Amino acid sequence: MSRSTQLAALGITLLVGATNALADESGELVLDVSSLAAPDTVSREEGLAAWSRIHDVFTHPRCLNCHVGEDNIPLWTTDLPNSTRAHGMWITGGVSRIGAETLLCNSCHQKSSKRNTVPNAAPHSGMIWRLAPIEFQWTNKSGPEICEQVRNPDTNGSRDGMGLIEHILHDAKEFGFISWGFDPGPGRSRPLGSLQSHLEDMAIWTSAGLPCPES
């Protein structure tokens, strides 16, 4: 079954052909998911293929750098091989995950209304740069471990598959970290695909029953 056929079967009306930022002329994010559904029309194999693409996004350095563990230390990554390392200058996000105990992340990651054009700026004006919640730690975990973590309501914020999709949409519209990750500006690497295709994969994975690969 082709991706277009899968999406048609799911009743998805996401903005096909939209840009990575999924923005209208005003710069506002636009996502139409009014008819998104998950009627169990996708096979396990198709769901696992979608999960593989989701995993590639989750573990790309652009996303992984902030999905760290209880040490609360963000990672730095360049485009060079094996270049991921702890954030320099002894930076820590602290228990607050925003650096409130020592140095706020926004002390350097300034807010900006000029989306994706100011180096190291937060995604948009009013955004507080921060580490991802500890429940979404993905560092030092295998693909199957991350999959189990993401689909388990006890470790994903009490969300089912549709709840995970709604989480992504809420972040994209209200905060901007996820959408920024797909469109971080000139000179920065980003995951393959777009926010659009990531949402489509999440819908396919959900419809297949959130299957995980064997460890």
Side-chain angles (χ1 to χ4, degrees):
M1 183 185 295
S2 68
R3 171 176 285 229
S4 60
T5 302
Q6 292 172 340
L7 297 177
L10 293 172
I12 294 176
T13 57
L14 295 173
L15 298 180
V16 177
T19 65
N20 285 333
L22 293 176
D24 62 14
E25 293 181 356
S26 69
E28 294 296 320
L29 291 170
V30 179
L31 292 170
D32 180 8
V33 292
S34 57
S35 62
L36 182 63
D40 297 324
T41 58
V42 178
S43 70
R44 173 180 171 82
E45 289 71 24
E46 292 164 335
L48 287 172
W51 165 255
S52 179
R53 295 187 293 269
I54 294 167
H55 175 263
D56 288 345
V57 170
F58 284 178
T59 56
H60 185 277
R62 186 61 55 206
C63 303
L64 192 65
N65 285 352
C66 289
H67 285 263
V68 297
E70 294 180 353
D71 61 5
N72 301 315
I73 298 175
L75 301 176
W76 268 0
T77 304
T78 72
D79 290 334
L80 298 174
N82 303 316
S83 62
T84 298
R85 58 187 176 87
H87 196 299
M89 302 175 291
W90 304 101
I91 294 298
T92 174
V95 176
S96 68
R97 309 284 277 186
I98 64 172
E101 297 81 0
T102 53
L103 180 68
L104 287 172
C105 302
N106 275 31
S107 298
C108 295
H109 295 278
Q110 298 292 318
K111 302 174 185 178
S112 173
S113 60
K114 297 180 179 179
R115 178 178 174 82
N116 299 343
T117 60
V118 179
N120 302 314
H124 55 74
S125 179
M127 185 64 221
I128 296 177
W129 197 278
R130 63 169 299 154
L131 297 177
I134 190 65
E135 291 81 5
F136 290 101
Q137 174 199 353
W138 298 332
T139 51
N140 302 317
K141 292 186 177 181
S142 68
E145 287 175 328
I146 295 173
C147 185
E148 291 290 350
Q149 177 185 5
V150 171
R151 74 177 183 177
N152 186 344
D154 291 336
T155 55
N156 73 4
S158 301
R159 297 179 177 94
D160 57 11
M162 291 303 298
L164 292 171
I165 294 170
E166 291 168 357
H167 166 67
I168 295 172
L169 291 171
H170 180 265
D171 179 279
K173 284 181 172 289
E174 301 297 329
F175 300 112
F177 275 123
I178 295 175
S179 51
W180 180 88
F182 283 103
D183 189 18
R188 298 187 180 97
S189 64
R190 62 178 181 83
L192 292 175
S194 64
L195 178 57
Q196 171 88 23
S197 62
H198 184 57
L199 282 165
E200 292 171 357
D201 282 330
M202 289 294 296
I204 292 169
W205 184 51
T206 296
S207 184
L210 309 176
C212 286
E214 296 181 2
S215 56

